[in-house]
Amino acid sequence: MPEDCIFCKILAGEIPAAKVHETENTLAFEDINPKAPVHVLVIPRKHIPTINDLAREDGALVGEMMLAAREVARLKGVDRSGYRIIFNTNREAGQEVFHIHLHVLGGHPLGPMG
Ligand code: 5GP
Ligand code: ZN
């Protein structure tokens, strides 16, 4: 586990987080600085810095992250109204934490992308 990874510290219980959902391979928790009424992060327990670092064998893990996101949307009551799933990769996309995570955003109209 990289010493300086905030999300590895959350996984280790060294930093608190408001957990929403967990599985053997994933954890979902509330974003500390929410950008929408529903803003939950889904992370794998495995430390992978960016989407660029995914290996072919990580495909099932990313699929599990999507299934976890679906469950988060249901638990948060936005599965019918609508939600957006985002993976940011590297600086120009705004990636700040280099442990892959998907954002589940919803709870109000989200507007166009860009
Ligand atoms: P990124 O910009 O890398 O795609 O998203 C990182 C997200 O992690 C941001 O939305 C930020 O608010 C959130 N975040 C950063 N540090 C913490 C933390 O210590 N706890 C929680 N719950 N979220 C965090
Ligand atoms: Zn990590």
Side-chain angles (χ1 to χ4, degrees):
M1 163 183 134
E3 301 282 306
D4 57 348
C5 177
I6 293 169
F7 290 173
C8 281
K9 286 182 178 163
I10 287 175
L11 287 164
E14 292 169 14
I15 294 176
K19 291 181 187 176
V20 174
H21 179 263
E22 56 186 321
T23 69
E24 184 185 348
N25 297 312
T26 69
L27 177 67
F29 53 91
E30 303 282 356
D31 195 292
I32 204 167
N33 181 21
K35 312 284 192 305
V38 173
H39 190 173
V40 175
L41 303 174
V42 177
I43 69 173
R45 295 189 189 276
K46 178 181 178 184
H47 179 88
I48 301 169
T50 79
I51 291 294
N52 291 336
D53 301 303
L54 285 174
R56 180 156 289 280
E57 72 214 34
D58 296 321
L61 180 57
V62 175
E64 279 189 50
M65 291 172 70
M66 294 297 291
L67 291 169
R70 180 187 68 168
E71 198 57 18
V72 165
R74 194 185 64 78
L75 290 167
K76 289 292 187 177
V78 295
D79 54 329
R80 300 282 168 198
S81 53
Y83 57 99
R84 185 170 290 162
I85 291 172
I86 295 174
F87 277 101
N88 292 322
T89 300
N90 282 337
R91 298 286 172 199
E92 286 197 2
Q95 186 176 4
E96 290 173 355
V97 179
F98 287 81
H99 178 136
I100 61 166
H101 50 280
L102 63 78
H103 299 253
V104 180
L105 295 154
H108 70 186
L110 292 166
M113 294 287 293

